[in-house]
Amino acid sequence: MNRPANKIVIVGAGECGARAAFALREKGYEGDITLIGAEPHLPYERPPLSKEGLAGQLDPKYVADAERYEAAGIQVLTDAAVQAIDRGAKTVRISDGRDLSYNRLLLATGASPRPFPGHSPTSSLVRVLRTHAEAAAIRLKLAPGKLLAIIGGGFIGLELASTARKFGAEVVLLEGLPRVLSRGVPEEIAAVVAERHRLEGVDIRCNARIADIEERGEKVEIDLDDGGILIADLVVVGIGAIPNTALAEAAGLAIDNGIAVDETLCTSDPDIFAAGDCCSFPLGHYDGRRIRLEAWRNAQDQGTLAAANLLGAAETIASVPWFWSDQYDLTLQIAGLADGAVLTVQRDLGDGAFILFHLDASGRLISASGIGTGNAIARDIRLAEMLIAAGKRPDPQALGSTDIKLKALLAA
């Protein structure tokens, strides 16, 4: 490694930023570490916000407690928004007017929910879900006799629908496309998820077009293009996220569907790195295609990788994209990216659980998608992830046969 910097500042106190801070210590770095977050909380995990985090807890699920940060010598600044980066002076300006100097800087600024056009994300009745405060406000409306309207049939919307039904709220989910989970989830798996929601009483309406949303007292009126009207107690918008790039863009860093980084997570400034939801990066497993991931595992992996490279390791991104979602008793997991697949092979695992393997034109396994109850698919998805990372071209018939273990294909 090169000689390490003696002042590292991390902007963004989420999963990625916190993971990077602790990884720096684990790798032997002894200099100053300052972790800056705009929220009043210590870094916490966001996946629970659409699930158990809606149970009304006073505190979020923290990545670590205050004592652990103190023991590691990590200074955490909360309620401190970073307003500007001065690359020449190597300082960041925070909201209390102070300038903090750095030798190396990590941007882990995450992403923000995309608001419904024409509506403020701060409305009390038309909300988004990204922070603990937003989850707490949504929870107040989840009760029998209340109707929750969810706009968007992606992971967030469906997980929220599942949680809302547990609290007894009625749920209508409006999706503009022909099916739910249209981004990155095979149709066969999306159909299983949709049917499970319908069995639980969720009213899923696909191909829904919204003409207008208007707040009327304590209710929200949603006017649909087909003339239908929906009156809800709360509307939650889950139509995607926008990477938080304003700070980087104002500093003159390259932007390309997020803060553009190379395979080591370095930005266009050699002393500034970016990681997590906010950055786009070339992925070697997919011929250097530039992608951006909004995923818990990616935030962890890139936090660790960024820590190594802030210290001069020059390690490249090697992890395979991985996503998961829990809804009712179902677990959905996806390893890899299925774009470019020309052949899909199904492996049935029993009790309704199955995995779809996606291969490209050369026969290389590029993705695996599975669904089942509990941990039914976890082991095989993990082995599929290893097959993808190894660039394997397994026999399609072997992939579809439960008589042949995936571990054997990995060893072949």
Side-chain angles (χ1 to χ4, degrees):
M1 290 188 183
N2 298 334
R3 183 177 179 181
N6 58 20
K7 285 186 180 180
I8 292 178
V9 171
I10 301 171
V11 180
E15 183 86 39
C16 183
R19 178 63 260 170
F22 284 113
L24 284 166
R25 293 295 187 225
E26 291 161 8
K27 296 177 185 302
Y29 174 66
E30 296 178 352
D32 294 341
I33 301 173
T34 303
L35 178 61
I36 307 173
E39 291 188 62
H41 305 285
L42 290 172
Y44 60 87
E45 296 186 3
R46 297 192 190 276
L49 294 180
S50 55
K51 310 180 194 66
E52 63 267 28
L54 282 169
Q57 301 137 295
L58 293 177
D59 293 317
K61 184 178 180 181
Y62 292 115
V63 175
D65 58 26
E67 289 74 18
R68 189 176 166 201
Y69 289 100
E70 185 177 356
I74 299 169
Q75 181 184 24
V76 184
L77 303 181
T78 57
D79 262 334
V82 175
Q83 297 178 326
I85 301 168
D86 186 330
R87 292 167 54 193
K90 287 195 172 182
T91 60
V92 296
R93 170 69 56 88
I94 57 177
S95 50
D96 64 6
R98 284 185 293 163
D99 289 333
L100 301 181
S101 63
Y102 67 84
N103 295 96
R104 289 254 167 119
L105 178 65
L106 173 62
L107 300 178
T109 49
S112 296
R114 190 183 302 276
F116 190 81
H119 279 263
S120 167
T122 60
S123 164
S124 63
L125 297 181
V126 182
R127 290 191 166 273
V128 295
L129 176 55
R130 179 72 180 183
T131 68
H132 175 70
E134 289 161 350
I138 290 169
R139 172 65 185 92
L140 295 174
K141 296 285 188 179
L142 303 185
K146 299 292 186 180
L147 191 145
L148 168 66
I150 299 171
I151 300 175
F155 285 125
I156 291 293
L158 289 165
E159 288 172 0
L160 177 57
S162 171
T163 304
R165 289 300 294 140
K166 291 178 184 177
F167 288 116
E170 297 299 314
V171 179
V172 176
L173 187 145
L174 304 172
E175 168 56 55
L177 295 175
R179 67 171 175 91
V180 299
L181 296 174
S182 58
R183 180 184 171 193
V185 178
E187 185 173 355
E188 298 91 331
I189 290 177
V192 173
V193 173
E195 180 59 24
R196 187 73 178 85
H197 277 275
R198 291 190 175 103
L199 288 174
E200 293 291 336
V202 177
D203 181 0
I204 296 178
R205 305 182 190 181
C206 293
N207 291 310
R209 296 288 184 269
I210 297 173
D212 191 27
I213 298 177
E214 187 171 349
E215 298 179 33
R216 298 185 181 275
E218 294 299 312
K219 301 284 186 176
V220 184
E221 178 181 307
I222 302 176
D223 298 328
L224 302 174
D225 271 357
D226 63 6
I229 296 175
L230 181 65
I231 305 297
D233 296 282
L234 177 70
V235 175
V236 177
V237 180
I239 54 174
I242 303 168
N244 294 328
T245 62
L247 190 64
E249 192 168 3
L253 299 177
I255 306 295
D256 182 357
N257 183 30
I259 304 170
V261 299
D262 65 14
E263 64 277 6
T264 69
L265 299 177
C266 187
T267 70
S268 52
D269 183 318
D271 291 319
I272 303 179
F273 290 70
D277 295 9
C278 68
C279 75
S280 68
F281 56 92
L283 191 55
H285 296 304
Y286 298 90
D287 302 318
R289 186 173 118 213
R290 181 167 290 276
I291 64 170
R292 188 177 66 82
L293 297 177
E294 298 163 16
W296 175 79
R297 167 87 72 83
N298 182 64
Q300 287 197 324
D301 289 347
Q302 290 198 349
T304 301
L305 179 63
N309 292 340
L310 285 164
L311 303 180
E315 296 176 9
T316 59
I317 299 166
S319 57
V320 173
W322 180 86
F323 312 85
W324 106 99
S325 180
D326 292 329
Q327 297 169 41
Y328 309 109
D329 57 346
L330 292 176
T331 295
L332 181 162
Q333 291 188 22
I334 298 173
L337 304 172
D339 298 358
V342 299
L343 176 65
T344 297
V345 178
Q346 181 166 323
R347 174 181 284 229
D348 293 311
L349 303 178
D351 296 324
F354 63 91
I355 293 178
L356 301 174
F357 296 98
H358 311 281
L359 298 95
D360 68 9
S362 73
R364 182 169 61 100
L365 181 65
I366 57 174
S367 180
S369 314
I371 193 165
T373 58
N375 293 319
I377 61 169
R379 185 172 182 274
D380 280 353
I381 288 289
R382 174 57 184 149
L383 288 167
E385 185 181 343
M386 296 167 71
L387 286 165
I388 295 167
K392 294 288 186 176
R393 293 174 169 78
D395 177 10
Q397 286 190 323
L399 285 175
S401 173
T402 53
D403 293 333
I404 301 174
K405 303 298 182 185
L406 295 183
K407 196 170 183 179
L409 300 180
L410 186 63

